[in-house]
Amino acid sequence: MSYIDGMIAAVPTANKDAYLAHARATSEVFKAHGAVKCVDAWGDDVPDGQVTDFRRAVQATPDETIVFSWITWPDKAARDAGWAAVMQDERMQKLEMPFDGKRMVYGGFAPLFEA
């Protein structure tokens, strides 16, 4: 079964074009190192919750938009090898993140159910 890396981040709304360029560039690197699919979704309907929500999770400010992204890998072994290669890839080392990476939330997930 596949393996998923997921991420949410607060991106300055004014940096939407820069984020899109960053997503395109990083997807090329991830796919070159084994990723099956990369998806970056720009927040469109991200409501405030009563206890917690996406905005609070990443300490988003009013001038930031939530981005929800995921990378699909063939399996966890491919993901682990892929990430090791991605981190050594010169293309990644030259990129600047168009958001505060310290507030990004991310993790790896083994699919439990797919329909």
Side-chain angles (χ1 to χ4, degrees):
M1 190 175 274
S2 62
Y3 194 82
I4 309 294
D5 279 317
M7 182 274 290
I8 61 169
V11 177
T13 303
N15 287 0
K16 184 177 184 179
D17 290 339
Y19 184 85
L20 179 57
H22 183 267
R24 286 181 172 142
T26 57
S27 71
E28 288 181 17
V29 177
F30 281 108
K31 289 179 120 186
H33 295 294
V36 174
K37 185 176 186 177
C38 299
V39 177
D40 288 85
W42 192 256
D44 177 72
D45 183 14
V46 184
D48 293 337
Q50 291 185 359
V51 177
T52 192
D53 54 46
F54 281 114
R55 297 190 66 77
R56 281 185 249 187
V58 294
Q59 300 174 350
T61 62
D63 63 333
E64 293 177 317
T65 299
I66 300 301
V67 170
F68 177 53
S69 303
W70 65 95
I71 303 168
T72 304
W73 301 90
D75 53 41
K76 188 170 189 304
R79 178 265 201 163
D80 292 346
W83 265 105
V86 164
M87 297 313 291
Q88 298 300 315
D89 193 300
E90 287 183 9
R91 294 172 290 179
M92 288 297 279
Q93 295 170 9
K94 293 178 183 177
L95 289 175
E96 291 186 34
M97 289 197 303
F99 60 93
D100 181 1
K102 289 179 260 163
R103 294 185 287 137
M104 176 174 60
V105 177
Y106 61 92
F109 300 86
L112 181 62
F113 173 79
E114 291 183 32

